[in-house]
Amino acid sequence: MKLSYRGVAYEYEQRGIDTIEGEIGGKYRGQPWRCSYPRHIPVPQPALDLKYRGVAYSTYPKAPAGAIPQTGNPHQVFPELVETHLANIRRRLEHRLQVAKDSGDQKLIRMLEAESKQLVRSR
């Protein structure tokens, strides 16, 4: 197809996309239509933990040694990450409390103070 942009002519070759016609469709203003999907998108397979004759295996690859652990308590595995997260929550809560005090909203102040006490107890 020949096109031009600001007086410069060029040849455009439309790339075909391999598609699959879906089941969803209908008629719009008398014309039939169907949804189509690109063929190259992989369908994710479910990750299952299975057992055969007492031997456990899974349908997804396990992480190599030294990688992020798949199980475990995140508070024990990433303590610095948890502490940074809690510091951010505290800082944001203090800001919200200050804004509530500046606006004089007593109900919001009580709610934020209760939230602050819950945050202290959850540690």
Side-chain angles (χ1 to χ4, degrees), residues 8-44:
V8 178
Y10 65 96
E11 187 72 28
Y12 175 72
E13 293 180 23
Q14 190 172 5
R15 297 181 184 142
I17 298 175
D18 193 19
T19 60
I20 301 171
E21 196 166 283
E23 298 174 9
I24 300 172
K27 273 193 172 190
Y28 179 72
R29 294 189 177 184
Q31 298 294 319
W33 63 271
R34 282 228 180 268
C35 285
S36 58
Y37 305 97
R39 187 179 297 269
H40 67 279
I41 296 178
V43 177

Side-chain angles (χ1 to χ4, degrees), residues 58-78:
S58 64
T59 59
Y60 57 93
K62 295 289 184 189
I68 297 173
Q70 298 295 320
T71 59
N73 186 348
H75 293 270
Q76 294 170 348
V77 178
F78 305 108

Side-chain angles (χ1 to χ4, degrees), residues 88-98 112-113 115-117 119:
N88 288 335
I89 291 174
R90 285 187 206 105
R91 186 173 39 97
R92 186 73 184 130
L93 185 61
E94 288 171 9
H95 173 73
R96 290 169 53 205
L97 187 58
Q98 185 60 45
L112 292 172
E113 286 173 346
E115 186 177 336
S116 176
K117 290 176 185 173
L119 186 63

